[in-house]
Amino acid sequence: MHFFWGSFDSAVTRFSGRAAPPHPGGIPHLADWVTRESYSAEQCAAGWWPGGNGQEAAFYSYVYPGVPGLAEAPIQPAEAFFNPEMGEYFLPYEAARTAPDPRQAVHDFLQSTYAAAANLSGWDRAALERH
C-alpha cells in the first residue's frame, strides 16, 4: 500500500516478478529517475484519487507496461470504463457510493481490472496469487 506524493491518492500495486522496459519519463512534477525506478518492474496498480481541478473522485487501475486489448477487456461494474487518453480504468466515486452494494462494486472493479491486466500481460497468476 502506498500514498502518492503531490496527488493525494492511495494505491496498492501487484507485481509480475518480471522487469519492465524503461519508462520514458516526462511525467509533470516528477523527476525521470524516480519514474524509471518506480516502473522498473511489470505492475498493476489500483487506488483511489480524491479528484481535483474540476475532475471528480474516482477509483482507478492501470498496468505498466501497457498491453494491447486492455480497452476492450470486460470489467465490472457497468459504470466502470477505460480512458484511452490516460490508459487507465476508472470507476467514478459517485457510481461506487450509490451502488446497491458499494463495497461489492469496488471489489468487482479492482478484481476485474487486475484480471484483465494480468491475463493480457501473460502473468503466471497461479504462482502469484494466494487465496
Side-chain angles (χ1 to χ4, degrees):
M1 183 74 178
H2 45 102
F3 183 69
F4 281 100
W5 57 92
S7 62
F8 206 73
D9 57 322
S10 60
V12 64
T13 302
R14 297 181 185 189
F15 296 91
S16 72
R18 300 185 304 222
H23 192 281
I27 296 176
H29 312 293
L30 185 58
D32 287 347
W33 68 268
V34 172
T35 305
R36 289 193 183 101
E37 180 59 30
S38 299
Y39 294 100
S40 62
E42 288 183 347
Q43 58 191 267
C44 179
W48 181 81
W49 179 66
N53 296 326
Q55 296 177 313
E56 71 173 301
F59 293 91
Y60 64 87
S61 179
Y62 66 87
V63 62
Y64 183 80
V67 59
L70 214 51
E72 296 79 33
I75 59 166
Q76 298 172 356
E79 297 82 7
F81 62 93
F82 185 81
N83 179 317
E85 184 178 308
M86 303 248 337
E88 299 182 33
Y89 293 111
F90 291 96
L91 173 62
Y93 175 72
E94 191 63 16
R97 187 186 72 76
T98 59
D101 185 343
R103 185 180 208 162
Q104 189 65 50
V106 173
H107 179 268
D108 291 347
F109 174 74
L110 298 174
Q111 282 301 113
S112 65
T113 57
Y114 163 71
N119 291 340
L120 290 169
S121 297
W123 290 12
D124 182 356
R125 292 182 61 190
L128 295 169
E129 297 171 16
R130 303 289 182 263
H131 299 280

